[in-house]
Protein backbone atom coordinates (compact mmCIF):
# COMPACT_ATOMS: atom_id res chain seq x y z
CA UNK A 1 0.00 0.00 0.00
CA UNK A 2 1.17 3.50 -0.83
CA UNK A 3 -0.05 6.84 0.58
CA UNK A 4 0.97 10.18 -0.95
CA UNK A 5 0.93 13.55 0.80
CA UNK A 6 1.28 17.07 -0.59
CA UNK A 7 2.02 20.39 1.08
CA UNK A 8 4.11 23.46 0.39
CA UNK A 9 6.71 22.27 2.90
CA UNK A 10 7.34 20.32 6.10
CA UNK A 11 3.72 20.61 7.28
CA UNK A 12 3.06 17.23 5.68
CA UNK A 13 5.36 15.52 8.19
CA UNK A 14 2.70 15.35 10.92
CA UNK A 15 0.19 13.46 8.76
CA UNK A 16 2.93 11.30 7.24
CA UNK A 17 4.12 10.29 10.71
CA UNK A 18 0.52 9.52 11.69
CA UNK A 19 0.21 7.20 8.68
CA UNK A 20 3.52 5.58 9.63
CA UNK A 21 2.27 4.90 13.16
CA UNK A 22 -1.04 3.43 11.93
CA UNK A 23 0.49 1.43 9.07
CA UNK A 24 4.24 0.99 9.47
CA UNK A 25 4.33 -1.04 6.25
CA UNK A 26 2.79 1.69 4.08
CA UNK A 27 5.05 3.24 1.46
CA UNK A 28 4.94 7.03 1.60
CA UNK A 29 5.33 9.65 -1.12
CA UNK A 30 6.04 13.12 0.30
CA UNK A 31 5.53 15.76 -2.39
CA UNK A 32 6.30 19.32 -1.27
CA UNK A 33 6.96 22.55 -3.14
CA UNK A 34 10.08 24.47 -2.06
CA UNK A 35 10.05 26.32 -5.39
CA UNK A 36 6.60 27.76 -4.70
CA UNK A 37 6.45 27.97 -0.92
CA UNK A 38 4.81 29.46 1.00
CA UNK A 39 1.38 28.95 -0.55
CA UNK A 40 -0.53 31.13 1.90
CA UNK A 41 0.22 34.54 0.32
CA UNK A 42 -0.48 33.28 -3.22
CA UNK A 43 -3.69 33.79 -5.21
CA UNK A 44 -6.25 30.98 -5.37
CA UNK A 45 -5.25 30.25 -8.96
CA UNK A 46 -1.57 30.02 -8.00
CA UNK A 47 -2.33 27.73 -5.05
CA UNK A 48 -4.30 25.41 -7.33
CA UNK A 49 -1.45 25.38 -9.85
CA UNK A 50 1.21 24.58 -7.23
CA UNK A 51 -0.94 21.94 -5.50
CA UNK A 52 -1.71 20.27 -8.84
CA UNK A 53 2.00 20.20 -9.70
CA UNK A 54 2.77 18.39 -6.43
CA UNK A 55 -0.22 16.07 -6.81
CA UNK A 56 0.66 15.07 -10.38
CA UNK A 57 4.21 14.28 -9.35
CA UNK A 58 2.93 12.14 -6.49
CA UNK A 59 0.27 10.46 -8.64
CA UNK A 60 2.98 9.22 -11.01
CA UNK A 61 4.08 6.90 -8.17
CA UNK A 62 0.70 5.14 -8.10
CA UNK A 63 -0.56 5.89 -4.57
CA UNK A 64 -3.70 4.29 -3.17
CA UNK A 65 -4.76 7.64 -1.64
CA UNK A 66 -3.51 11.22 -1.55
CA UNK A 67 -3.62 13.46 1.53
CA UNK A 68 -3.73 17.22 1.03
CA UNK A 69 -1.74 17.89 4.20
CA UNK A 70 -2.24 21.64 4.03
CA UNK A 71 -5.14 23.76 5.25
CA UNK A 72 -4.58 26.43 2.60
CA UNK A 73 -4.56 23.95 -0.28
CA UNK A 74 -7.58 22.14 1.16
CA UNK A 75 -9.54 25.41 1.04
CA UNK A 76 -8.47 26.57 -2.40
CA UNK A 77 -7.41 23.51 -4.41
CA UNK A 78 -9.34 20.48 -3.14
CA UNK A 79 -12.09 20.55 -5.83
CA UNK A 80 -9.49 20.85 -8.60
CA UNK A 81 -7.41 18.01 -7.14
CA UNK A 82 -10.43 15.74 -6.84
CA UNK A 83 -11.59 16.58 -10.36
CA UNK A 84 -8.20 15.53 -11.73
CA UNK A 85 -7.38 12.48 -9.60
CA UNK A 86 -10.61 10.86 -8.45
CA UNK A 87 -11.99 8.23 -8.67
CA UNK A 88 -8.65 6.56 -9.44
CA UNK A 89 -6.93 8.10 -6.41
CA UNK A 90 -9.02 9.16 -3.38
CA UNK A 91 -8.11 12.69 -2.25
CA UNK A 92 -8.42 13.56 1.46
CA UNK A 93 -8.38 17.19 2.57
CA UNK A 94 -7.40 18.69 5.92
CA UNK A 95 -9.92 20.55 8.06
CA UNK A 96 -9.04 22.29 11.37
CA UNK A 97 -10.18 20.18 14.33
CA UNK A 98 -12.70 22.74 15.60
CA UNK A 99 -15.50 20.22 16.14
CA UNK A 100 -13.65 17.91 18.60
CA UNK A 101 -12.03 20.88 20.35
CA UNK A 102 -15.41 22.54 20.92
CA UNK A 103 -17.23 19.37 21.94
CA UNK A 104 -16.44 19.89 25.62
CA UNK A 105 -17.47 23.55 25.62
CA UNK A 106 -15.39 26.05 27.57
CA UNK A 107 -12.84 28.37 26.00
CA UNK A 108 -11.20 27.38 22.75
CA UNK A 109 -8.49 29.16 20.77
CA UNK A 110 -8.04 28.52 17.05
CA UNK A 111 -4.43 29.20 16.08
CA UNK A 112 -4.06 29.73 12.32
CA UNK A 113 -2.20 31.80 9.76
CA UNK A 114 -3.34 35.43 9.51
CA UNK A 115 -4.94 34.74 6.10
CA UNK A 116 -6.90 31.76 7.40
CA UNK A 117 -7.91 33.60 10.57
CA UNK A 118 -9.57 36.32 8.52
CA UNK A 119 -11.20 33.96 6.04
CA UNK A 120 -14.88 33.28 5.53
CA UNK A 121 -13.92 29.58 5.48
CA UNK A 122 -12.77 29.58 9.10
CA UNK A 123 -15.74 31.67 10.21
CA UNK A 124 -18.08 29.09 8.64
CA UNK A 125 -16.31 26.25 10.42
CA UNK A 126 -16.63 28.02 13.77
CA UNK A 127 -20.31 28.76 13.17
CA UNK A 128 -21.02 25.19 12.08
CA UNK A 129 -18.94 23.23 14.56
CA UNK A 130 -18.29 25.63 17.44
CA UNK A 131 -21.33 24.54 19.43
CA UNK A 132 -21.55 26.29 22.77
CA UNK A 133 -17.82 26.88 23.13
CA UNK A 134 -16.35 30.36 23.55
CA UNK A 135 -14.02 30.45 20.53
CA UNK A 136 -11.28 32.99 19.84
CA UNK A 137 -9.44 33.11 16.51
CA UNK A 138 -5.71 33.75 17.03
CA UNK A 139 -3.57 34.88 14.07
CA UNK A 140 -0.06 33.43 14.29
CA UNK A 141 2.23 35.82 12.48
CA UNK A 142 5.34 34.14 11.10
CA UNK A 143 4.89 30.81 12.87
CA UNK A 144 4.45 28.62 9.79
CA UNK A 145 7.47 30.25 8.15
CA UNK A 146 9.59 29.76 11.28
CA UNK A 147 8.60 26.09 11.48
CA UNK A 148 9.33 25.62 7.78
CA UNK A 149 12.88 26.87 8.25
CA UNK A 150 13.46 25.13 11.59
CA UNK A 151 14.37 28.50 13.12
CA UNK A 152 14.17 27.82 16.86
CA UNK A 153 14.35 31.43 18.04
CA UNK A 154 11.79 32.57 15.46
CA UNK A 155 9.48 29.74 16.51
CA UNK A 156 9.75 30.82 20.14
CA UNK A 157 9.01 34.44 19.24
CA UNK A 158 6.02 33.57 17.08
CA UNK A 159 4.57 31.17 19.65
CA UNK A 160 5.00 33.74 22.44
CA UNK A 161 3.33 36.45 20.35
CA UNK A 162 0.35 34.22 19.57
CA UNK A 163 0.11 33.16 23.21
CA UNK A 164 -0.20 36.84 24.17
CA UNK A 165 -3.28 37.03 21.91
CA UNK A 166 -4.81 33.90 23.44
CA UNK A 167 -7.38 34.46 26.23
CA UNK A 168 -6.44 33.18 29.66
CA UNK A 169 -7.97 29.91 30.76
CA UNK A 170 -8.46 28.23 27.39
CA UNK A 171 -9.00 24.51 27.74
CA UNK A 172 -8.30 23.66 24.10
CA UNK A 173 -6.17 25.00 21.26
CA UNK A 174 -6.93 24.08 17.65
CA UNK A 175 -3.79 23.81 15.53
CA UNK A 176 -5.22 25.31 12.35
CA UNK A 177 -2.10 24.92 10.21
CA UNK A 178 -0.37 21.60 9.63
CA UNK A 179 3.01 23.17 10.39
CA UNK A 180 1.86 23.97 13.94
CA UNK A 181 1.44 20.28 14.78
CA UNK A 182 5.23 19.93 14.63
CA UNK A 183 5.55 22.32 17.61
CA UNK A 184 2.34 21.39 19.42
CA UNK A 185 4.03 20.84 22.78
CA UNK A 186 5.63 24.29 22.67
CA UNK A 187 2.24 25.81 21.97
CA UNK A 188 0.70 23.88 24.86
CA UNK A 189 3.36 25.09 27.22
CA UNK A 190 3.11 28.70 26.05
CA UNK A 191 -0.59 29.02 26.89
CA UNK A 192 -0.46 27.12 30.16
CA UNK A 193 -1.28 29.10 33.30
CA UNK A 194 0.52 28.46 36.57
CA UNK A 195 -1.40 26.02 38.72
CA UNK A 196 -3.68 24.87 35.88
CA UNK A 197 -3.41 21.89 33.54
CA UNK A 198 -2.05 22.65 30.09
CA UNK A 199 -4.81 22.92 27.48
CA UNK A 200 -5.47 20.11 25.03
CA UNK A 201 -4.17 20.67 21.52
CA UNK A 202 -6.23 19.45 18.58
CA UNK A 203 -4.51 18.74 15.29
CA UNK A 204 -5.83 17.00 12.20
CA UNK A 205 -2.99 14.61 11.38
CA UNK A 206 -4.27 11.41 12.96
CA UNK A 207 -7.85 11.84 11.72
CA UNK A 208 -6.65 12.60 8.19
CA UNK A 209 -4.31 9.59 8.23
CA UNK A 210 -7.10 7.30 9.41
CA UNK A 211 -9.45 8.62 6.72
CA UNK A 212 -6.81 8.04 4.04
CA UNK A 213 -6.43 4.42 5.16
CA UNK A 214 -10.20 3.94 5.09
CA UNK A 215 -10.43 5.41 1.60
CA UNK A 216 -7.58 3.14 0.51
CA UNK A 217 -9.43 0.13 1.96
CA UNK A 218 -6.75 -0.55 4.56
CA UNK A 219 -6.76 -1.18 8.30
CA UNK A 220 -4.13 -0.34 10.93
CA UNK A 221 -1.44 -2.99 11.45
CA UNK A 222 0.87 -4.03 14.24
CA UNK A 223 4.17 -2.12 14.61
CA UNK A 224 5.86 -5.51 14.13
CA UNK A 225 5.31 -5.24 10.38
CA UNK A 226 8.24 -4.05 8.23
CA UNK A 227 8.53 -0.32 7.69
CA UNK A 228 7.65 0.98 4.25
CA UNK A 229 9.79 3.19 2.07
CA UNK A 230 9.71 7.00 1.88
CA UNK A 231 9.92 8.77 -1.49
CA UNK A 232 10.54 12.52 -1.36
CA UNK A 233 9.72 14.96 -4.16
CA UNK A 234 10.58 18.67 -4.17
CA UNK A 235 8.47 20.58 -6.72
CA UNK A 236 8.29 17.35 -8.71
CA UNK A 237 12.00 16.49 -8.48
CA UNK A 238 13.42 13.49 -6.55
CA UNK A 239 14.94 14.63 -3.26
CA UNK A 240 15.86 13.35 0.18
CA UNK A 241 14.39 13.53 3.66
CA UNK A 242 17.00 15.72 5.28
CA UNK A 243 17.66 19.23 6.45
CA UNK A 244 14.76 20.86 8.23
CA UNK A 245 12.60 17.72 8.22
CA UNK A 246 14.84 16.01 10.75
CA UNK A 247 14.66 18.95 13.16
CA UNK A 248 11.27 17.53 14.16
CA UNK A 249 10.41 14.22 15.81
CA UNK A 250 8.03 13.38 12.98
CA UNK A 251 10.78 13.78 10.40
CA UNK A 252 13.19 11.67 12.43
CA UNK A 253 10.55 8.95 12.72
CA UNK A 254 10.16 8.85 8.95
CA UNK A 255 13.92 8.82 8.42
CA UNK A 256 14.48 5.94 10.88
CA UNK A 257 15.53 2.60 9.40
CA UNK A 258 13.27 -0.44 9.57
CA UNK A 259 13.33 -2.09 13.02
CA UNK A 260 14.78 -5.55 13.45
CA UNK A 261 11.81 -7.91 13.80
Amino acid sequence: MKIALIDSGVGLLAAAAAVRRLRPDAHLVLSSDPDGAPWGPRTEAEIRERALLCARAAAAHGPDALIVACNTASVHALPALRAQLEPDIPVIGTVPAIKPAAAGGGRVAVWATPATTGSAYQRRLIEEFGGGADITAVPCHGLAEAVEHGDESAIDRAVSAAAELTPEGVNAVVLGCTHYELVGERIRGAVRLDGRPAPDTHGSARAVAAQALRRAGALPKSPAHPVGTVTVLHSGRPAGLGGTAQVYAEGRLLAAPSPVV
Side-chain angles (χ1 to χ4, degrees):
M1 185 185 63
K2 187 177 291 183
I3 303 294
L5 303 95
I6 68 167
D7 183 27
S8 61
V10 299
L12 54 68
L13 293 175
V19 174
R20 171 66 82 237
R21 293 184 184 104
L22 291 171
R23 280 294 297 247
D25 63 322
H27 301 292
L28 300 173
V29 180
L30 312 183
S31 184
S32 61
D33 186 30
D35 291 358
W39 287 350
R42 291 183 173 272
T43 66
E44 290 190 22
E46 288 172 334
I47 293 167
R48 285 194 298 271
E49 178 185 352
R50 303 309 302 182
L52 284 166
L53 181 152
C54 290
R56 291 188 192 108
H61 291 260
D64 297 289
L66 182 139
I67 295 172
V68 184
C70 172
N71 296 88
T72 297
S74 295
V75 173
H76 299 298
L78 195 57
L81 291 166
R82 285 178 169 160
Q84 182 150 135
L85 298 180
E86 291 186 339
D88 295 334
I89 302 172
V91 178
I92 296 89
T94 299
V95 177
I98 293 171
K99 186 175 182 178
R107 289 184 174 179
V108 176
V110 180
W111 283 36
T113 64
T116 299
T117 298
S119 69
Y121 166 75
Q122 180 166 295
R123 288 194 297 271
R124 286 196 303 272
L125 289 177
I126 292 173
E127 290 170 4
E128 184 173 356
F129 299 116
D134 178 8
I135 298 180
T136 300
V138 177
C140 302
H141 297 274
L143 180 53
E145 292 82 0
V147 172
E148 179 64 32
H149 293 101
D151 187 330
E152 298 287 342
S153 60
I155 291 169
D156 286 341
R157 289 194 300 271
V159 168
S160 296
E164 288 292 324
L165 300 175
T166 302
E168 291 188 0
V170 296
N171 52 285
V173 177
V174 176
L175 305 177
C177 171
T178 54
H179 282 68
Y180 301 173
E181 298 193 46
L182 302 178
V183 292
E185 282 305 308
R186 292 201 206 186
I187 293 171
R188 247 179 124 233
V191 296
R192 180 175 186 170
L193 292 175
D194 291 341
R196 295 191 58 166
D200 295 327
T201 53
H202 293 264
S204 303
R206 184 176 176 83
V208 166
Q211 176 67 355
L213 293 179
R214 285 193 292 270
R215 294 288 303 278
L219 296 173
K221 278 192 175 182
S222 162
H225 285 77
V227 173
T229 60
V230 177
T231 299
V232 179
L233 304 170
H234 284 174
S235 302
R237 304 180 301 273
L241 188 67
T244 304
Q246 296 195 46
V247 169
Y248 303 106
E250 292 84 350
R252 294 192 295 273
L253 171 67
L254 296 171
S258 302
V260 177
V261 182

